[in-house]
Amino acid sequence: MDLRSLRLVLISLSLAISLVLSAQVEKPRPTHRAVRAAVPPVIDGDLSDPAWQQAPEITGFTQMDPEEGKPARNDTIVRILYDDNAIYFGAFMKDDGTPTPLLARRDSDLNNGDYIRINIDSQYDRLSGAGFVVNASNVQMDMTLYNDIYNDNSWDAVWESAAKIVSGGWIAEVRIPYSQLRFPDKPVHIWAFNISRWNPRTSESTRLVYSPKTESGFVSRFADLTGIEGIKPKRALEIMPYGVGRTDLYSRQNNPFISASEHRVEAGVDLKYSLTSSLRLTATLNPDFGQVEVDPAVLNLSQFETFFPEKRPFFTEGADIFRFGNGPANSRWGFNMWFPTFFYSRRIGRSPQGSIDADHLDAPGETTILGAAKVTGKVGKGWTIGVLDALTDREQAWFSRQDGLGGFDVGKMTVEPMTNYLVTRATKEYGKDSRAGFMFTATNRRLSENLGPALRESSYFAGVDGYTLLRDKSWIVEWLGGTSMVEGSPEAIALTQSNPARYFDRPDADHVELDPTRTSLTGWMGRVMVAKQKGRWRPNIQVQALSPGFEINDVGFLPRVDAVATHAVMRYLNTDLAQTSKYFREFSAWGGKWQNFNFAGDILGNGVNGSFFGLLKNYWSIGGWTGRQAEVFDDQRTRGGPLAVRPGAYFYGGELGNDSRKKLSFTVWSEGVHSTEGAVSYYSGGSITYRPASSLRLSLSPTVSDTESHSQYVTRLRKTGYAPTFGDQYVFSTIEQKQFDLGMRAEWTMNARLSMQLYLQPFIASGEYRDFKFLTRPRDNDYTPMPEEAVGFNPDFNFRSVRGSAVVRWEFRPGSAMFVVWNANRSHVAPVGDFRPRRDFSSLTEAPSQDVFLIKFSYWLPI
């Protein structure tokens, strides 16, 4: 390893930590008062109720945009009431023009209309809370607040609101039941809160509690809310049963196990219960996620799996509690290295992992989740905990194959074992601005005889993490470390040692070795980062190490290990240019140097990157980026073979976007990549959004690429006797790829409770291979030409696909909804390498297809 480079990074980290150690100064906080209402107000968008007249006016909002730090052009008047059951907010948003109403589905982008956002820290921990948004058309959005500066809008609370446009502005009334908030049981309360407002006509963003953009912190800066006395947290029980009727339609296929149509009716239940005033149980039995939008089609020619974001409500809600190694840092960078995702909930209910060699197969597309439960919330003094447990069922597949006597063997085989997933997380705030925590995960499988050699029996991870904010939150020191262990049969652990994350079977690797007798594998990882959070100049320095035996992919996501990744970045941020610059309102830029190694000391990455972004006076935006990577070693290039050299490359790109408030808005981008081996690749794309009416939103997201590589891995020819590469030949070729992807969306909102969404994605991609060659010698970028027929197969491909979904959502009463859903999926692969869109899209009419129609009904029962 280049110890001198690593030593310089570690010294820099030590110096950065020593520079930021300093005493911190507590700043006074504004205080406002809520008033108990003898008779609660009617939530109708009218502030004439007598109760509102008792509450003091809260005013004095400050601009975040467009003139940061100045008083609001149009002020906002807020009053706050409470009673034994709920807290109430009444707000009058003054406006010297006409407010902009916007109809949209719940939790969607509301920036094209007027809205107000109420943020509450009811536990008074200065780190977490809840946000409630209502716009001028009474469309709602809600979110959890965490780590002081982040939010997650996957949470859906049950609350009431009303909005009305009136002379001189618009009115919003909000009622938030205590059952949707968490707070301790005590006679007198102090909560923290902040109010934000957005006016798209004037691009004015205002807050009751203002903090400069060049500083850090959001929840920690909230104003105090006093006057709340004699209330009790509601230990409510919420039950939401559901029923779903589903029909699957299949095109004609040469498979005796698949009929043209399948019908089924299912039911399940979701449950929420407040175990204590700040600890909540959430559970689900036989959950159904049929209303979730389909994943997009992708083309992946690498040895690594594709990461898809979580969309299922049970797992997205409260996911922030289970994030490990994620403190309140304003920015992070990872160059040529994927940060580990320690809990990747898409593992639960995953597609079955077992494979069967058969002529015909009928296997389920996903694993059934029998049940799942999680407990989240606050306990003791400063502790936040989360415990999640899920049990998935054994899945079996029908198969048939020729028996060698002219007939067929028909049978059933397990393709996914019954599996239990456990994830526990706890954090503790200590001192003024510090936190430490730990995480433990476990995956345990009940393996069948056929899956014992293929899958690990158990997997465990344990780790600790934390951060400290210094010099009035100007700097952050963030750290984490952990260890893993997997267990299973010798065959399963051998597969783990040789999988793409580590390749212990590399013939020229001295620091790792495949041991076929092992029944367990252990490893460790660690990371430390020092970064400046405030000011215009913000350095960021980080070191991350992943040992060769580290493995978390049974419940996490990690493409590779055996790596030490280092970087140093300087960022510049100026948000106060509106009065001083001729062209810009905001401008930011950063540049960074990074260098990565494996545990043998081979340099795997060595480059410089940089980018800039500017918001212009007319609210258009421009951006650009560039970078260069030197020629380095690649221990995964031959996919288990000897070390090879990856060519160097440089890239450049830019983007342009117009004012997003316009009826027609767009963003376009383009990028070019030039390799030192002579290959050139181009990528371009963008998004176009059109709003012909306040209730209708149409968008297109096209992406096209024309890429080239002169050293694309093709295959491994075993036991050819080629001595320089240890008896095998590693075949590469030139590949030309073309790809077209068009995401199309339509969102029509009839009213705040009824909406329809349509998503359609045509996708085609081709790959043409030529000039086949094999690696001449290890640790080099030299190849020897070989005839195409020596490869033994034609790897050319043409992939065509169209995926789509349509969802009608009707929230017929608070918390209760009905979904009508259609999902479609057609795809086909042809063994040709040319790219002909008209032919490829036309062929989809004959491609195998599956259409899913379902109606789902859920009913919220508060008890």
Side-chain angles (χ1 to χ4, degrees), residues 198-220:
W198 168 246
N199 185 329
R201 192 186 74 257
T202 61
S203 289
E204 185 177 61
S205 172
T206 59
R207 285 182 186 172
L208 177 63
V209 182
Y210 160 76
S211 57
K213 294 180 184 177
T214 54
E215 297 188 10
S216 183
F218 180 58
V219 179
S220 58

Side-chain angles (χ1 to χ4, degrees), residues 693-709:
S694 65
S695 60
L696 182 61
R697 181 175 183 264
L698 308 173
S699 63
L700 297 175
S701 301
T703 303
V704 295
S705 63
D706 187 348
T707 67
E708 182 183 31
S709 171

Side-chain angles (χ1 to χ4, degrees), residues 433-480:
D433 287 307
S434 298
R435 187 178 76 188
F438 71 88
M439 187 177 201
F440 175 77
T441 67
T443 305
N444 299 98
R445 298 185 173 97
R446 184 179 295 173
L447 294 172
S448 58
E449 183 177 349
N450 67 301
L451 292 179
L455 299 181
R456 295 180 285 267
E457 184 176 5
S458 58
S459 173
Y460 305 96
F461 167 77
V464 293
D465 68 333
Y467 68 83
T468 297
L469 293 165
L470 303 165
R471 295 192 64 186
D472 194 25
K473 303 183 188 296
S474 293
W475 290 80
I476 185 170
V477 180
E478 190 175 279
W479 55 270
L480 64 93

Side-chain angles (χ1 to χ4, degrees), residues 621-648:
S621 62
I622 60 172
W625 55 90
T626 187
R628 185 175 185 89
Q629 178 172 334
E631 185 177 85
V632 294
F633 290 116
D634 190 338
D635 56 10
Q636 297 178 322
R637 193 169 183 81
T638 56
R639 305 192 184 186
L643 202 72
V645 170
R646 185 169 69 247

Side-chain angles (χ1 to χ4, degrees), residues 305 663 732:
E305 68 174 313
K663 181 176 290 189
F732 293 77

Side-chain angles (χ1 to χ4, degrees), residues 52-229:
W52 289 122
Q53 312 313 312
Q54 304 171 21
E57 292 185 350
I58 301 173
T59 60
F61 281 59
T62 303
Q63 291 187 54
M64 298 292 292
D65 290 299
E67 298 177 282
E68 185 180 0
K70 292 188 176 182
R73 299 175 186 174
N74 294 285
D75 205 0
T76 302
I77 302 173
V78 179
R79 301 173 189 263
I80 305 176
L81 300 169
Y82 72 96
D83 60 17
D84 288 339
N85 301 302
I87 188 167
Y88 304 81
F89 291 82
F92 175 47
M93 279 59 68
K94 294 182 179 181
D95 199 332
D96 53 16
T98 302
T100 306
L102 173 70
L103 277 172
R105 60 184 175 87
R106 180 171 178 156
D107 290 335
S108 65
D109 181 7
L110 301 180
N111 285 322
N112 283 76
D114 282 83
Y115 68 74
I116 186 172
R117 171 174 156 179
I118 300 165
N119 306 282
I120 303 174
D121 173 14
S122 55
Q123 299 188 100
Y124 204 61
D125 62 7
R126 298 293 183 185
L127 285 172
S128 62
F132 303 87
V133 182
V134 60
N135 77 355
S137 297
N138 197 33
V139 178
Q140 294 181 350
M141 174 189 289
D142 33 34
M143 64 197 71
T144 57
L145 312 176
Y146 67 98
N147 278 354
D148 193 9
I149 61 173
Y150 300 137
N151 65 71
D152 182 351
N153 67 357
S154 62
W155 175 59
D156 280 333
V158 181
W159 50 290
E160 297 178 57
S161 64
K164 183 185 297 183
I165 297 176
V166 297
S167 176
W170 65 285
I171 291 172
E173 275 187 298
V174 172
R175 179 184 184 272
I176 304 170
Y178 296 145
S179 61
Q180 306 303 301
L181 300 172
R182 300 182 186 184
F183 54 89
D185 187 358
K186 58 184 182 180
V188 179
H189 294 264
I190 298 178
W191 290 2
F193 80 109
N194 199 358
I195 310 289
S196 307
R197 177 187 171 186
W198 168 246
N199 185 329
R201 192 186 74 257
T202 61
S203 289
E204 185 177 61
S205 172
T206 59
R207 285 182 186 172
L208 177 63
V209 182
Y210 160 76
S211 57
K213 294 180 184 177
T214 54
E215 297 188 10
S216 183
F218 180 58
V219 179
S220 58
R221 296 176 179 270
F222 283 9
D224 287 346
L225 182 63
T226 63
I228 303 176
E229 302 178 1

Side-chain angles (χ1 to χ4, degrees), residues 335-558:
F335 298 95
N336 204 37
M337 177 64 64
W338 185 286
F339 281 121
T341 302
F342 295 92
F343 174 39
Y344 180 44
S345 55
R346 292 288 297 253
R347 300 295 187 205
I348 303 174
R350 67 192 304 169
S351 297
Q353 302 172 81
S355 61
I356 302 175
D357 182 16
D359 297 303
H360 301 104
L361 187 68
D362 181 20
E366 62 276 329
T367 305
T368 301
I369 303 175
L370 296 174
K374 58 185 175 183
V375 175
T376 57
K378 297 275 188 178
V379 294
K381 294 184 178 180
W383 283 95
T384 301
I385 66 166
V387 179
L388 183 148
D389 193 84
L391 180 66
T392 59
D393 201 3
R394 180 184 66 162
E395 297 292 348
Q396 294 184 303
W398 284 98
F399 68 91
S400 69
R401 56 192 172 204
Q402 295 181 4
D403 59 8
L405 301 176
F408 283 89
D409 286 330
V410 178
K412 203 173 186 181
M413 188 176 293
T414 299
V415 289
E416 181 71 20
M418 178 175 285
T419 307
N420 190 81
Y421 300 88
L422 173 67
V423 182
T424 63
R425 175 79 167 124
T427 60
K428 173 72 166 66
E429 287 87 40
Y430 65 93
K432 183 179 181 297
D433 287 307
S434 298
R435 187 178 76 188
F438 71 88
M439 187 177 201
F440 175 77
T441 67
T443 305
N444 299 98
R445 298 185 173 97
R446 184 179 295 173
L447 294 172
S448 58
E449 183 177 349
N450 67 301
L451 292 179
L455 299 181
R456 295 180 285 267
E457 184 176 5
S458 58
S459 173
Y460 305 96
F461 167 77
V464 293
D465 68 333
Y467 68 83
T468 297
L469 293 165
L470 303 165
R471 295 192 64 186
D472 194 25
K473 303 183 188 296
S474 293
W475 290 80
I476 185 170
V477 180
E478 190 175 279
W479 55 270
L480 64 93
T483 182
S484 68
M485 181 176 71
V486 294
E487 298 175 314
S489 66
E491 296 87 352
I493 300 303
L495 288 175
T496 303
Q497 296 176 76
S498 61
N499 73 15
R502 53 188 55 81
Y503 289 132
F504 276 17
D505 53 342
R506 300 198 305 271
D508 60 341
D510 296 328
H511 66 298
V512 292
E513 182 179 0
L514 191 150
D515 182 352
T517 66
R518 298 186 68 159
T519 57
S520 66
L521 184 68
T522 60
W524 59 269
M525 69 84 58
R527 175 162 61 92
V528 61
M529 180 186 76
V530 177
K532 195 170 187 292
Q533 298 275 89
K534 294 183 181 180
R536 292 184 177 176
W537 293 97
R538 302 184 180 186
N540 181 296
I541 303 173
Q542 178 179 280
V543 176
Q544 175 178 246
L546 302 161
S547 80
F550 188 66
E551 175 58 68
I552 59 171
N553 278 309
D554 287 295
V555 74
F557 188 93
L558 179 60

